[in-house]
Amino acid sequence: MSGSDKADRRERILRAAVQQGLLEPETAVLAGFVDLDGVNETVTSLRSAFPDSLRVLHAFAAKANCLVPVLEELRLSGMGCEVASAGELAQALEAGFAPEHIVFDSPAKTRAELARALSLGVAVNADSFQELARLDEILAARRSDSRIGVRVNPQVGAGSITAMSTATATSKFGIPLEDEGNRRRLLQTYRDRPWLTWVHTHVGSQGCPLDLIARGIAKAVEFAEEINAHLGHRQVTGIDIGGGLPVNFADDETTPGFDTYVDHLREHAPALFSGEYEIVTEFGRSVLAKNGFTAAYVEYTKTVGGRPIAITHAGAQVATRTVFAPDAWPLRIEAHDPHGRAKHGRPVRQDIAGPCCFAGDLLARDRALPLLDVGDLVVVPDTGAYYFSTPFHYNSLPEPAVHGARIDADGRVTFRLLRPAQAAHPIPALAGR
Ligand SMILES: Cc1ncc(COP(=O)(O)O)c(C=O)c1O
């Protein structure tokens, strides 16, 4: 789908949402939308980027959008699911994923969570030597069909967002490969545990250049080869290469694509394509971000210190990262009229604020847009992952509804409710009033 198609679909979905009452200035002032056709197309491009000859499970990172109906759609399109908490595991199971298509990553798995994953047959990636010791205890008492791996930190360094970079020298994730003694200890760990058959790595999420990601994965693949050479047989049969394909938030072009990512992998980690290994991927943002948008009404406008400000209903509760770290997470904003039609007036520099009660609750500062009026709609593209799906409950603001949209061959838009709006807190009756 081209960039202009994406923008056109967004406007069609928005206008249909207004017509069908899914956005309404009193009762539905904020909503999230997921373009389900777009999601399908993205999953197809992910699947076709890897050669058919390889056994690959593309496990969607549930943290990116954990709504059960979204996970269901992804399951039906052929994906597995990566989960990083007991809550996400429950959501993946509710969405119908077979346990063997679920991968459990987290640096803080409790004994009970590990035992449950192993009894279900969910794949587990151990994050530390201490977690491996817990797995020893559980597996001494019962056998399991789970595929079990170790998350290694290839320590290849950070991308442009430190908070999202997991392969730094001191990252909290995984077992650092280059720390004194760790390689030797890991080789012995695999020797002592024939059930350890996978190697996992995840270099980072957003802001990591493809070369950095590919170099990190290459180190994990080389380490898998080293283990198998050391043991004299192919004990490691699978490599989980994580997610992290960066998303372009600047415009509607989907760059880089999964093909480009695979080209980098071929160059840096050719052994991954030998057919000797099963592969798991764990993409989240690159599957959902560009297939979702947020829409909110402008409730008021004012001019302060000479600058126009639009007070909208979308702020830190749905765009938490952007509000608290605006330089790392800039978002585009589009101005639409009350019917959802794009506004084309002369661009005016203005702030786009949210409803939260703190001064920094701004979606964008000093942004040139057609001047927003009361009753207009702002659209925030690229928010299908890590935004409205995981709201922040500041000011007791309710979770907004999320709607899935499809557009048929005649241009008709149909919606599927993916999450109902949270009911407003009822005002208690006060005695004597
Ligand atoms: C272990 C792991 N896998 C996959 C992902 C998904 O990353 P992304 O959404 O950037 O593809 C994350 C993100 O934090 C992660 O920690």
Side-chain angles (χ1 to χ4, degrees), residues 61 63-64 82 105 151 164 166 173 200 202 204-206 242-245 282-286 386:
K63 58 182 81 63
E82 184 263 355
D105 297 330
R151 176 168 181 171
M164 307 307 287
T166 48
F173 290 104
H200 172 225
H202 169 72
S205 175
Q206 193 62 18
L245 184 76
E282 302 174 346
F283 294 106
R285 183 176 289 101
S286 49
Y386 300 100

Side-chain angles (χ1 to χ4, degrees), residues 57-79:
L57 173 70
H58 295 293
F60 174 71
K63 58 182 81 63
N65 190 321
C66 57
L67 305 183
V68 171
V70 171
L71 298 180
E72 247 168 29
E73 295 274 349
L74 292 165
R75 175 176 62 77
L76 293 172
S77 70
M79 292 195 82

Side-chain angles (χ1 to χ4, degrees), residues 190-384:
Y190 275 84
R191 181 180 289 285
D192 295 342
R193 294 168 181 78
W195 42 264
L196 263 186
T197 54
W198 279 67
V199 169
H200 172 225
T201 197
H202 169 72
V203 171
S205 175
Q206 193 62 18
C208 292
L210 293 188
D211 260 346
L212 182 77
I213 296 177
R215 280 193 285 115
I217 293 170
K219 283 185 75 171
V221 175
E222 282 155 23
F223 187 57
E225 298 273 88
E226 188 180 336
I227 297 166
N228 287 344
H230 175 75
L231 300 183
H233 65 277
R234 299 199 73 81
Q235 179 170 316
V236 176
T237 56
I239 302 181
D240 179 337
I241 60 177
L245 184 76
V247 164
N248 165 29
F249 285 94
D251 58 34
D252 274 319
E253 296 309 320
T254 303
T255 52
F258 292 110
D259 299 12
T260 315
Y261 168 85
V262 170
D263 289 345
H264 279 72
L265 284 186
R266 280 186 192 282
E267 188 191 325
H268 288 276
L272 194 60
F273 297 87
S274 63
E276 301 273 8
Y277 297 102
E278 274 183 68
I279 298 172
V280 164
T281 71
E282 302 174 346
F283 294 106
R285 183 176 289 101
S286 49
V287 179
L288 253 297
K290 297 198 85 63
N291 292 311
F293 68 88
T294 307
Y297 280 100
V298 176
E299 190 68 45
Y300 294 104
T301 60
K302 54 173 86 163
T303 299
V304 180
R307 181 182 298 181
I309 303 178
I311 312 282
T312 79
H313 285 283
Q317 87 277 37
V318 283
T320 316
R321 286 179 180 178
T322 297
V323 168
F324 288 108
D327 295 336
W329 299 101
L331 285 169
R332 291 181 289 151
I333 311 279
E334 294 171 343
H336 291 255
D337 72 13
H339 302 285
R341 291 179 298 230
K343 289 181 73 157
H344 295 291
R346 182 178 62 83
V348 175
R349 304 199 81 84
Q350 54 199 302
D351 285 357
I352 295 88
C356 299
C357 204
F358 63 94
D361 185 35
L362 297 170
L363 288 181
R365 292 173 170 79
D366 202 21
R367 187 69 62 87
L369 283 177
L371 189 65
L372 287 160
D373 292 316
V374 171
D376 280 347
L377 283 156
V378 290
V379 163
V380 193
D382 307 328
T383 47

